[in-house]
Amino acid sequence: MSPTPHALGEPVVRHEARLKVTGAARYAAEHTPPGCAYAWPVPAGVARGRVVSVDTADALDIPGVLTVLTPHNAPRLAPADDPVLAVLQDDRVPHRGWYVALVVADTLEAAREGAAAVHLDYDIEAHEVVLDAGHTALYVPEEVNGGFPAVRERGDFRSGFAEAPVRLDASYRVGPLHNHPMEPHACTAEWREGRLRVHYSSQGATLAGQTAAALFGLEPEQVTVVSEHVGGGFGSKGTPRPELVLAVMAARETGRPVKLALPRRQLPAVVGHRAPTLHRVRLGADADASLTAVGHEIATHTSTLKEFVEQAAVPARIMYASPHSSTVHRVAPLDVPSPSWMRAPGEAPGMYALESAMDEVAQLLGVDPIELRLRNEPAEEPDSGRPFSSRHLADCLREGAERFGWERRDPRPGTTREGALLLGTGVAAATYPVYLSPSHAEAHASPEGGYRVRINATDIGTGARTVLAQIAAAALETRVENVEVEIGRSDLPSASLAGGSSGTGSWGWAVHKACEALRARFAELGGRIPAEGVTVTADTEQETRRGSAYSRHAFGAHFAEVQVDTVTGEVRVRRLLGVYAAGRILNSRTARSQFTGGMTMGLGMALTEHSGMDPLFGDFTESDLASYHVPVHADVPAIEVHWIEEEDPHLNPMGSKGIGEIGIVGTAAAVANAVCHATGARIRDLPLTPDKVLARLG
Amino acid sequence: MKPFAYVKAATPDEAVRACAGHPGARYLAGGTNLVDLMKLGVETPEFLVDVSGLQLDVVEELPDGSLTVGATVRNSELAAHPAVIDRYPVLSQALLSGASGQLRNAATTAGNLLQRTRCPYFQDPGKPCNKRLPGSGCPAIDGAHRELAVLGYSAHCVATNPSDMAVALAALDAAVQLHGPEGDRTVPVTEFHRLPGDSPERDTVIRPGELITAVRLPPASPAALSHYRKARERASYAFALVSTATVLEVRNGVVHHAALAFGGLAPRPWRAHAAEEVLLGAPATRETFTAAVDAELAAARPLRDNGFKVTLARNLAVDELTALAARER
């Protein structure tokens, strides 16, 4: 623990670390109110059509089954802003796995048996689930995820590209991916005297509470959502999901508390996924390695329920200087589950393609890939012309090159061999925008000298409690042990989501402001604290809505060394290095975890993770953790993380940028570039599994 | 979950008797596969006979140099047994390449042999599968079959056997000892698993009520070298895309004994008899090894998306034979 009053940046240990490793921390499905019943959902067994009839007689005959909710008997909800929440509201089946019934029973076992005994008849329609770059359903949407315009044109891309002496025109593919947090999506709902209390595994209890209130026609203060501990979300718990609606509905219908933990195998269809992206990247360059044209076009899918467009061409708008640029997104609504956020939506797949293309252009030009990036550093954000609040990509690349030993690299591909292994190294840049959202916080001082901060922030495993205590301690000029932090409940001052790498900056700003207000109040009181203590509140509605005249992004550089087994096509990563410029790092221990975790997820994206869409059935083939291959320990080498000190006065009072997502951005490109360096084979389709690699080894 | 009856047997006879009157009975040992399948609704036994207390958890070294492995010896114990590490390294390596530490601590020798395919259609009761529901069809032939069979499959089923251990046992000429209502019998591991033909629902030749009591390993030739190698999508906790168990003995530059088995290619551990025929008595050279493996894989009939397995199997087997031959010099 920190002996000094100022704890910002120090490696303070997570407050709840002991609770978690001893099993004392309770998650959403580990709360069992007296009389609790259990629910098990029934997924649709067809990919498109209508539910004609639901025969619940056999299910209701099973001892312990209390009720079966179906599209025909479920209570009607108020219209949902998010169509994925309108479960059991009509007979339409928009995709396979969409929930068409819910069995509620005295025990989990009876609910599960009941679900298997529900008989459904469908009016089946032909389904279409396969995306290709020429799909006739593709259209250009107005905007893409994050509110960005779908299309941006600068200069005259067509001529610029046509006239460039060196041109790359390459297509890349990133297949569907799933977040698969360790803790499945889960909810325990209880109605008591007209009030609703929900334990919910969520990245934002404020939004979940507002959503439940709206759907069930309640006043917001009638609903309390508790998200005390969350076992990962990676975006999939950023928006409320059907389990919230179903658990609340079941609790109201049965008059009992109801617990619903979604089975792992059902998750891929109902909690979102990273949509597949088909990329066409065109880069034109002068002989002196200056980019003259940057083109990035995306084709992706969404469901027929809602339009979600992975903003994968957006990073090309800010990365490199070029007089001509064109970035375009197209989307096809298919009979697939609704895609959603997965760690660094847009940046993760977009930077895989762009940074692979940069590597290819470097090869065409015969320049070092780091040198190519340095030569194309923009003076201001290329898309908007706004100045960067801070941009230290070049420093990250240089620092990384030195730490990695880049100058010893033989640029010729396929030249380093160790027996049957080919070795290679690769580099890629990373970027992630700074998002800040309004939040409210309360700060309290007791006459005994202790402080308490209350804010409905969410700790999804990041260490939010801990870093908020540090921010408060720094603002109050006290030791971090003197600050108690209450988070994770919707009856606390409202706060934004743990998403978009925005949590610490957004919540921290409100906490900082409340603590400053508390100190001002002390001054007014002449330092005397009354018996009941002093309590102040603050919010950042104005500050965050004001926006910024600056283009604000974190940057980083990823370096990878891989070995490729020429016998089997197996690729294993030997070393990963990430160097970041992300403003002020507020807790060096938990920040390192965030970067390392992101890089590990990027390694999975590069080599092992894929969710195959089955054209026959319209579902994802890999639906458990045995078949959906997240990297295991044996896949993860020594990961090295560094950051450079970055002062940026245009962010928030702490000077921090978000760090939850940048680790996954560009890692896949660094690995793929290293595979190309090792083998000479450029495989433009992730993940780089042995079948694809073997086919290219000859 | 469907309700089921449960009894814990004390002796093999008791277990067999308990099972006899119940066509829907299953033996339960480590439960690492059966319980999963019960949760999925793929297996719906009415009666479970727990055989974990039969005291079949012993590895016995016999005077003739052979080894008897009790049916309920845990995979982790077997992998760590000094006699296995010393004389049958291919078996220890195969075991350690399978599953995870936690699963190996629970999984038994007999259960490993009886584990069922991980074909995605088999594991999803919402879809057709001839192995799970005879006559319902095999969507894998046109569907997701990248990890499925290239050898030994039929028009009714293209599933692969997922075991690593069984591949090593096949190469070691191990035999399965069975105890049943009609007495005892012994079946070579290479003949224990069936090819699907038109009845893919039957994975093995085991008869109703029969219980595996042990696996018998014949004496290992002191001069033979053996090795297991597994290619997979991640470094641990993944089923084999292709694996090889190789036993090789070279005398004076000539192959004196060779046993080669493949995992991940077929509905059963695939003993490469055609390859062995080419190898035996031939010079221990890469040319011989290549010709031998090609002779075996000539029968491969890859599906749309799994042709890479043939290349992978060829590369692996030739490389393994070459490496073992080099070690013998």
Side-chain angles (χ1 to χ4, degrees):
Chain A
M1 282 294 188
S2 152
T4 60
H6 294 282
L8 272 193
E10 291 188 9
V12 180
V13 171
R14 275 165 215 273
H15 283 191
E16 67 287 342
R18 174 169 288 272
L19 289 180
K20 283 183 172 170
V21 298
T22 56
R26 287 202 294 166
Y27 291 78
E30 296 177 313
H31 294 270
T32 309
C36 190
Y38 297 80
W40 195 276
V42 179
V46 301
R48 183 187 166 108
R50 299 201 170 266
V51 175
V52 176
S53 69
V54 189
D55 179 354
T56 60
D58 286 349
L60 289 167
D61 274 349
I62 291 167
V65 170
L66 301 169
T67 188
V68 181
L69 300 176
T70 73
H72 305 126
N73 68 7
R76 297 301 124 183
L77 304 165
D81 288 341
D82 184 346
V84 306
L85 298 176
V87 278
L88 308 183
Q89 298 302 293
D90 60 46
D91 59 4
R92 182 180 163 215
V93 176
H95 60 80
R96 194 177 175 102
W98 174 255
Y99 288 142
V100 288
L102 183 78
V103 179
V104 192
D106 286 331
T107 64
L108 179 66
E109 291 76 12
R112 186 174 200 163
E113 191 187 353
V118 173
H119 311 295
L120 289 137
D121 263 334
Y122 302 95
D123 184 358
I124 301 171
E125 298 162 23
H127 62 265
E128 170 65 62
V129 295
V130 178
L131 174 73
D132 60 65
H135 202 289
T136 52
L138 285 166
Y139 67 90
V140 177
E142 266 181 37
E143 58 174 42
V144 297
N145 180 51
F148 300 99
V151 179
R152 292 289 287 171
E153 303 282 349
R154 185 160 40 78
D156 178 355
F157 173 77
R158 187 180 289 268
S159 324
F161 181 70
E163 288 159 15
V166 175
R167 286 189 298 271
L168 173 80
D169 183 348
S171 296
Y172 305 87
R173 178 181 179 275
V174 181
L177 294 166
H178 276 92
N179 318 51
H180 274 311
M182 188 79 85
E183 182 202 17
H185 291 60
C187 183
T188 304
E190 184 179 15
W191 290 85
R192 205 185 282 167
E193 290 153 15
R195 294 180 53 85
L196 175 65
R197 187 176 170 85
V198 179
H199 286 275
Y200 189 37
S201 185
S202 165
Q203 290 174 232
T206 296
L207 177 62
Q210 290 164 348
T211 303
L215 289 173
F216 289 90
L218 303 167
E219 296 304 320
E221 40 302 349
Q222 287 175 276
V223 182
T224 305
V225 176
V226 182
S227 301
E228 189 183 8
H229 298 292
V230 179
F234 309 111
S236 69
K237 295 172 183 171
T239 53
R241 294 270 164 204
E243 71 278 5
L244 173 69
V245 181
L246 292 174
V248 172
M249 191 188 273
R252 195 158 74 174
E253 290 303 298
T254 59
R256 304 254 301 258
V258 169
K259 194 188 290 200
L260 171 54
L262 297 187
R264 176 70 58 184
R265 296 178 74 92
Q266 292 183 7
L267 294 182
V270 293
V271 302
H273 60 276
R274 192 194 299 290
T277 42
L278 309 176
H279 304 249
R280 183 183 186 194
V281 183
R282 283 177 288 176
L283 299 178
D286 280 345
D288 73 348
S290 296
L291 292 175
T292 53
V294 171
H296 197 162
E297 292 167 57
I298 308 294
T300 186
H301 78 202
T302 189
S303 69
T304 60
L305 284 170
K306 64 192 277 191
E307 185 188 270
F308 178 92
V309 187
E310 180 94 11
Q311 72 274 32
V314 167
R317 297 173 186 170
I318 64 121
M319 280 306 293
Y320 301 111
S322 73
H324 308 291
S325 174
S326 170
T327 47
V328 180
H329 300 81
R330 280 193 291 270
V331 64
L334 303 177
D335 303 312
V336 296
S338 298
S340 184
W341 301 328
M342 175 165 161
R343 205 171 198 170
E347 277 76 17
M351 287 291 278
Y352 155 67
L354 182 63
E355 292 299 289
S356 296
M358 286 295 280
D359 204 61
E360 297 205 50
V361 169
Q363 280 180 334
L364 290 177
L365 289 162
V367 303
D368 181 84
I370 292 178
E371 183 57 28
L372 176 66
R373 289 172 174 90
L374 295 177
R375 283 194 208 172
N376 290 282
E377 269 288 282
E380 66 279 320
E381 189 200 276
D383 185 58
S384 66
R386 288 182 301 172
F388 286 104
S389 65
S390 56
R391 173 172 170 132
H392 292 100
L393 172 58
D395 301 78
C396 293
L397 287 163
R398 289 195 189 98
E399 168 101 16
E402 195 175 319
R403 289 179 178 275
F404 195 76
W406 187 260
E407 78 283 357
R408 293 192 298 273
R409 179 188 200 243
D410 181 343
R412 294 168 302 158
T415 50
T416 311
R417 209 173 238 282
E418 237 181 58
L421 303 176
L422 287 168
L423 307 185
T425 51
V427 64
T431 185
Y432 196 82
V434 173
Y435 295 116
L436 290 164
S437 298
S439 290
H440 298 236
E442 178 195 288
H444 171 87
S446 76
E448 291 76 33
Y451 300 94
R452 188 183 66 223
V453 168
R454 304 170 81 234
I455 178 169
N456 186 24
T458 320
D459 192 324
I460 56 171
T462 53
R465 268 181 199 84
T466 314
V467 78
L468 291 179
Q470 288 177 273
I471 291 166
L476 294 164
E477 295 188 11
T478 186
R479 290 163 59 112
V480 72
E481 298 90 324
N482 292 339
V483 182
E484 184 194 331
V485 175
E486 266 188 67
I487 63 167
R489 258 189 8 249
S490 66
D491 54 5
L492 296 168
S494 68
S496 58
L497 291 178
S501 298
S502 71
T504 301
S506 303
W507 311 324
W509 195 342
V511 166
H512 178 90
K513 197 174 168 188
C515 291
E516 296 266 282
L518 192 62
R519 294 189 65 182
R521 187 88 186 96
F522 288 166
E524 287 168 23
L525 292 168
R528 285 186 308 279
I529 299 179
E532 71 275 18
V534 182
T535 307
V536 300
T537 58
D539 70 70
T540 57
E541 298 282 349
Q542 281 196 341
E543 293 90 332
T544 53
R545 294 202 198 285
R546 204 178 292 139
S548 175
Y550 294 92
S551 171
R552 301 184 293 184
H553 299 264
F555 290 92
H558 288 129
F559 293 78
E561 180 182 346
V562 303
Q563 62 178 54
V564 180
D565 190 323
T566 55
V567 174
T568 62
E570 291 167 302
V571 180
R572 303 283 183 251
V573 173
R574 289 189 164 189
R575 283 196 291 155
L576 272 184
L577 166 67
V579 180
Y580 304 95
R584 189 171 190 183
I585 299 302
L586 302 178
N587 179 321
S588 57
R589 182 190 306 267
T590 51
R592 188 174 300 280
S593 276
Q594 284 287 292
F595 291 130
T596 306
M599 290 166 76
T600 304
M601 210 162 172
L603 190 164
M605 177 180 171
L607 297 182
T608 59
E609 294 183 41
H610 57 87
S611 288
M613 173 49 67
D614 188 336
L616 298 179
F617 296 97
D619 60 358
F620 294 109
T621 303
E622 295 79 11
S623 57
D624 58 28
L625 293 179
S627 55
Y628 186 86
H629 292 157
V630 298
V632 295
H633 282 294
D635 291 296
V636 182
I639 292 184
E640 211 186 317
V641 172
H642 292 277
W643 51 82
I644 60 175
E645 298 299 326
E646 187 176 63
E647 295 284 331
D648 186 334
H650 308 295
L651 302 168
N652 57 49
M654 298 82 68
S656 65
K657 296 175 177 175
I659 57 170
E661 290 163 272
I662 192 168
I664 194 177
V665 180
T667 302
V671 172
N673 292 342
V675 169
C676 181
H677 180 234
T679 62
R682 178 72 64 179
I683 304 167
R684 300 183 182 88
D685 180 10
L686 296 184
L688 306 180
T689 44
D691 52 339
K692 294 178 198 165
V693 177
L694 212 48
R696 296 291 300 278
L697 286 172
Chain B
M1 191 185 77
K2 271 176 67 96
F4 57 87
Y6 168 91
V7 65
K8 185 157 186 172
T11 66
D13 276 335
E14 202 179 302
V16 169
R17 270 201 309 276
C19 220
H22 298 84
R26 286 278 189 285
Y27 293 121
L28 172 73
T32 56
N33 189 216
L34 179 61
V35 174
D36 275 359
L37 294 174
M38 288 168 67
K39 288 181 181 171
L40 295 175
V42 173
E43 289 270 11
T44 52
E46 290 154 16
F47 187 37
L48 288 184
V49 179
D50 187 338
V51 295
S52 63
L54 302 188
Q55 298 180 337
L56 298 174
D57 55 351
V58 179
V59 179
E60 200 182 345
E61 301 184 55
L62 301 183
D64 68 348
S66 63
L67 206 66
T68 303
V69 181
T72 59
V73 171
R74 307 284 162 174
N75 287 176
S76 48
E77 285 172 47
L78 185 58
H81 195 280
V84 175
I85 293 173
D86 185 40
R87 289 186 252 153
Y88 310 98
V90 65
L91 176 57
S92 181
Q93 292 155 4
L95 284 160
L96 291 177
S97 75
S100 65
Q102 295 92 329
L103 286 165
R104 293 194 294 269
N105 286 341
T108 63
T109 307
N112 189 318
L113 277 173
L114 291 172
Q115 67 176 306
R116 312 211 65 191
T117 184
R118 298 313 198 278
C119 172
Y121 302 105
F122 174 73
Q123 295 187 89
D124 184 348
K127 293 173 185 165
C129 167
N130 288 325
K131 190 182 274 300
R132 180 170 32 74
L133 191 65
S136 60
C138 176
I141 291 169
D142 292 323
H145 58 229
R146 201 172 60 96
E147 300 187 21
L148 301 182
V150 297
L151 282 165
Y153 64 82
S154 74
H156 302 280
C157 181
V158 295
T160 44
N161 181 292
S163 174
D164 291 297
M165 181 194 77
V167 181
L169 292 179
L172 291 169
D173 291 312
V176 183
Q177 295 186 358
L178 296 161
H179 180 65
E182 290 147 40
D184 293 354
R185 62 183 183 126
T186 301
V187 179
V189 167
T190 49
E191 292 164 31
F192 181 71
H193 297 92
R194 291 180 68 256
L195 296 185
D198 56 7
S199 52
E201 70 278 10
R202 288 170 51 221
D203 290 355
T204 68
V205 299
I206 207 160
R207 294 173 191 147
E210 264 185 334
L211 174 75
I212 298 176
T213 53
V215 170
R216 181 79 171 266
L217 288 159
S221 162
L225 294 175
S226 75
H227 193 250
Y228 190 75
R229 187 157 164 204
K230 177 175 179 178
R232 44 183 153 175
E233 288 194 356
R234 63 181 168 188
S236 176
Y237 194 49
F239 292 98
L241 294 169
V242 179
S243 67
T244 53
T246 314
V247 182
L248 187 69
E249 185 177 344
V250 178
R251 288 189 192 170
N252 303 320
V254 171
V255 177
H256 180 73
H257 171 73
L260 175 65
F262 288 105
L265 291 189
R268 67 180 183 203
W270 192 264
R271 181 71 182 261
H273 296 294
E276 291 168 17
E277 218 166 284
V278 175
L279 290 169
L280 211 60
T285 61
R286 198 175 175 91
E287 291 68 38
T288 300
F289 301 148
T290 306
V293 174
D294 283 346
E296 188 65 45
L297 295 173
R301 296 286 176 270
L303 303 161
R304 183 193 62 229
D305 294 331
N306 66 1
F308 76 98
K309 284 194 167 191
V310 181
T311 314
L312 180 50
R314 183 179 192 267
N315 288 0
L316 262 184
V318 172
D319 199 61
E320 286 289 275
L321 286 163
T322 309
L324 284 181
R327 266 170 60 192
E328 300 221 19
R329 278 191 200 107

